[in-house]
Amino acid sequence: MSAALVAGLLAGYGIAMPVGAVAAYLVALTARTSLRIGVCAALGVATADGLYAAIAVIGGSALTRVVEPVAPRLRWGAALVLLVLAAHSAATAIARHRAPGTAARTDDAPLGPARAYLGLWGITMANPLTVIYFAALVLGSQTGAAADAPERTVFVLAAFAASTSWQLLLAGGGALLGRLLTGSRGRLLTALASSVVITALAVRMLLVPP
């Protein structure tokens, strides 16, 4: 049981810690909204990681064979969504900086917790590398076919907990960044910088083979 716990924690941190476009977007989203929104978005990412860990434990190699043929299309879809989000973030920041009154009116319908959760969950679920990663770990470890149901459950829960803790850390960093950069110019520069980073990481997702 302890082996499954350690394997799950390592798997969860292994997939969550590399800084990609989703992580950059999570930090930027929290910085320009609130910690509450960031926490909900972080839980969306962690939920997707936990769900993929569960699917990998159940499906194993069969699931990998299903996902691999459509992986390029899924990667294109995820990258396109991130590029749209980056462009929208930059455009909104510029409009808010140039016309504070207009920006205030556009904020009448702010991003809600449920929308933040579902949005980040959807983006993360569109990443086929996550399920391939978990499936490879499951098949190559004692948490694979030889493991019983309790051990598989511990593995999935540990992976979810690890991902959750890391995503919440990113959200906390975004909230701190938002409090430090309270000025109009600071928020503009932060939004533009994050948009550039997200765009670069999304393009890299397409150009660099997994």
Side-chain angles (χ1 to χ4, degrees):
M1 193 71 71
S2 60
L5 174 63
V6 173
L9 290 173
L10 292 177
Y13 283 121
I15 195 64
M17 289 183 68
V19 177
V22 175
Y25 179 70
L26 173 60
V27 173
L29 174 66
T30 311
R32 71 173 184 267
T33 56
S34 66
L35 180 59
R36 181 188 178 198
I37 298 297
V39 167
C40 292
L43 291 177
V45 177
T47 300
D49 285 344
L51 181 58
Y52 265 146
I55 293 174
V57 166
I58 297 171
S61 58
L63 181 63
T64 303
R65 289 194 296 269
V66 171
V67 171
E68 283 181 335
V70 298
R73 295 180 183 177
L74 292 174
R75 285 172 52 228
W76 272 96
L80 179 61
V81 170
L82 288 166
L83 289 173
V84 171
L85 289 172
H88 175 73
S89 175
T92 301
I94 293 173
R96 183 178 297 137
H97 181 72
R98 289 181 176 176
T102 302
R105 288 192 296 271
T106 61
D107 287 341
D108 288 342
L111 180 67
R115 187 178 169 189
Y117 174 89
L118 292 175
L120 270 293
W121 176 83
I123 294 173
T124 309
M125 288 297 293
N127 184 7
L129 298 181
T130 306
V131 68
I132 295 174
Y133 166 85
F134 278 120
L137 284 179
V138 169
L139 293 173
S141 69
Q142 295 180 351
T143 318
D148 56 21
E151 288 178 331
R152 295 185 181 191
T153 302
V154 168
F155 174 85
V156 172
L157 292 177
F160 171 73
S163 179
T164 299
S165 64
W166 183 256
Q167 305 306 334
L168 290 177
L169 179 63
L170 292 178
L176 178 60
L177 180 64
R179 284 195 293 270
L180 291 176
L181 300 174
T182 55
S184 175
R185 185 180 297 274
R187 288 189 178 276
L188 173 64
L189 294 177
T190 302
L192 293 178
S194 67
S195 294
V196 171
V197 171
I198 294 168
T199 299
L201 291 171
V203 171
R204 183 178 182 275
M205 183 188 301
L206 298 176
L207 299 182
V208 179

